[in-house]
Amino acid sequence: MVGDLGAIATGAGVLLGDRLGLFKALREGGKMTAAELSTRTGTQERLVREWLSGQAAAGYVDYDEANDQFYLNAEQELVFADENSPAFMAGAFEFLSALWLDEEKVRQAFQSGKGVAWHDHSACLFRGTERFFRPGYNANLIDSWLPALEGVVEKLERGVEVADVGCGHGASTVLMARAFPNSRFVGFDYHAPSIERARKAAEEAGVGANTRFEVAAAKTYPGTYDLVAFFDCLHDMGDPAGAATHVHGSLKPDGTWMIVEPFAHDHLTANLNPVGRVYYAASTFVCTPASLSQEVRLGLGAQAGEARLRKVVTGGGFKRFRRATETPFNMVLEARP
């Protein structure tokens, strides 16, 4: 229990250090005293020293006693200071802070049964979700997930139409658009502020020529596509079977639906592990309440498992369904008409 309490308390410190730029300053400056880090970041020295001591106690920062200096080792840099690292985790702490901030809303949902809509959460959830998932997409999407789909990379290289549904801040859309400039990508999300951020991200990444973002829901987005992608969002939907039916109608006859979902086994006992612990917590506070706030209210949850997802997808009219690949944190499912 002491370890768990320490993790919770240190998590608030990670969020603080991330927002103040303390981790990035440590990465750039190397070994520093508290006074030097304070000067570099424009922060108060005594508070900085206490923060550094707490992070060192957690093993998130290293301490050189002989010179009274603090620093990040190579692994710590990847986790806390490098946004493009496949191991970057600071965004996860921002995501998880929403669980505490929105506890009152979720408690009311437990009592009323009405759920909590995605857009009713604190803004840190939207920022944190993008920063939490982006490292995994950076590491896997182009090099392993898309190649695991039958014939999809070849189509993308030639030039096809792609929809990224539930795109959030557009991290996955931008990655694909940059890797496949001959194809045309449109990101859809019902959350207008996320679409605005996605448009800015596309401009910053220089992919505006083959990318656009529109406000639309999973059951009503327009157009016909060669590839439709759902990244970590199908289980959040109130009517995922209805979304599956709409995807089926929006695909060309030889099209592909790519579904990336949190990794889960089909039986609860097999999910009682450290990864399942995180996912069930997120599902309790975010995913399942979101589904219960919508029509149908299926409530798949973040640990739905392949069997339940297969039932949803085939119920939407898809004849072919398989697990294309996986990581310890994600399943990549392929569905075809």
Side-chain angles (χ1 to χ4, degrees):
M1 287 304 300
V2 170
D4 283 356
L5 291 172
I8 294 168
T10 304
V14 170
L15 186 64
L16 180 67
D18 180 50
R19 291 183 175 175
L20 288 172
L22 298 176
F23 288 114
K24 288 184 172 65
L26 275 173
R27 181 192 185 197
E28 294 164 359
K31 289 188 175 183
M32 285 186 283
T33 63
E36 290 168 338
L37 181 59
S38 165
T39 299
R40 191 179 186 96
T41 55
T43 50
Q44 208 277 341
E45 178 184 346
R46 181 66 189 88
L47 292 174
V48 167
R49 182 172 185 85
E50 209 70 0
W51 177 83
L52 283 166
S53 299
Q55 297 298 301
Y60 292 174
V61 167
D62 279 356
Y63 177 58
D64 177 357
E65 183 179 6
N67 297 296
D68 194 28
Q69 292 176 317
F70 299 85
Y71 63 99
L72 295 177
N73 64 41
E75 291 81 5
Q76 292 161 348
E77 285 187 5
L78 289 174
V79 173
F80 297 115
D82 184 357
E83 295 262 357
N84 295 315
S85 158
F88 180 71
M89 294 295 288
F93 289 88
E94 185 171 21
F95 168 87
L96 291 172
S97 68
L99 276 56
W100 289 91
L101 289 172
D102 297 335
E103 180 273 335
E104 170 65 19
K105 295 176 182 178
V106 175
R107 181 165 58 83
Q108 292 177 11
F110 266 69
Q111 295 170 328
S112 70
K114 294 180 180 179
V116 181
W118 174 263
H119 60 267
D120 285 333
H121 281 278
S122 299
C124 59
L125 177 65
F126 317 135
R127 295 191 305 266
T129 297
E130 190 270 341
R131 297 179 74 213
F132 178 38
F133 284 115
R134 178 161 37 88
Y137 299 159
N138 286 342
N140 299 295
L141 176 53
I142 305 303
D143 292 336
S144 61
W145 292 352
L146 287 171
L149 305 177
E150 185 181 339
V152 166
V153 169
E154 292 81 357
K155 290 182 179 179
L156 290 168
E157 289 172 342
R158 290 198 306 268
V160 293
E161 306 294 328
V162 181
D164 187 355
V165 180
C167 66
H169 288 190
S172 51
T173 324
V174 168
L175 272 174
M176 292 188 292
R178 188 160 43 200
F180 303 102
N182 292 332
S183 290
R184 295 155 297 283
F185 299 84
V186 54
F188 294 112
D189 202 292
Y190 92 97
H191 188 237
S194 290
I195 288 297
E196 292 175 11
R197 178 67 191 98
R199 288 169 178 162
K200 292 178 182 177
E203 291 177 11
E204 293 165 0
V207 295
N210 68 330
T211 310
R212 61 186 176 88
F213 293 92
E214 304 292 342
V215 176
K219 289 168 61 175
T220 58
Y221 66 85
T224 303
Y225 304 94
D226 300 273
L227 172 66
V228 174
F230 278 42
F231 291 94
D232 293 292
C233 64
L234 182 64
H235 66 273
D236 295 311
M237 297 176 185
D239 184 14
T245 300
H246 186 71
V247 173
H248 189 276
S250 74
L251 276 176
K252 295 179 181 178
D254 63 342
T256 299
W257 184 15
M258 176 186 186
I259 309 152
V260 178
E261 281 285 296
F263 184 88
H265 299 282
D266 290 326
H267 301 288
L268 172 60
T269 302
N271 294 326
L272 302 182
N273 54 58
V275 174
R277 181 186 188 185
V278 173
Y279 281 152
Y280 277 122
S283 191
T284 300
F285 281 84
V286 181
C287 310
T288 306
S291 178
L292 296 182
S293 74
Q294 304 167 50
E295 74 285 352
V296 180
R297 297 162 47 89
L298 187 61
L300 276 176
Q303 293 287 271
E306 183 178 337
R308 294 182 69 198
L309 293 168
R310 176 188 294 271
K311 183 177 180 180
V312 165
V313 171
T314 56
F318 287 87
K319 304 301 183 186
R320 289 175 285 176
F321 176 93
R322 71 182 182 99
R323 186 186 303 199
T325 188
E326 65 185 52
T327 74
F329 302 102
N330 289 102
M331 295 184 293
V332 181
L333 308 172
E334 178 181 25
R336 304 187 71 183

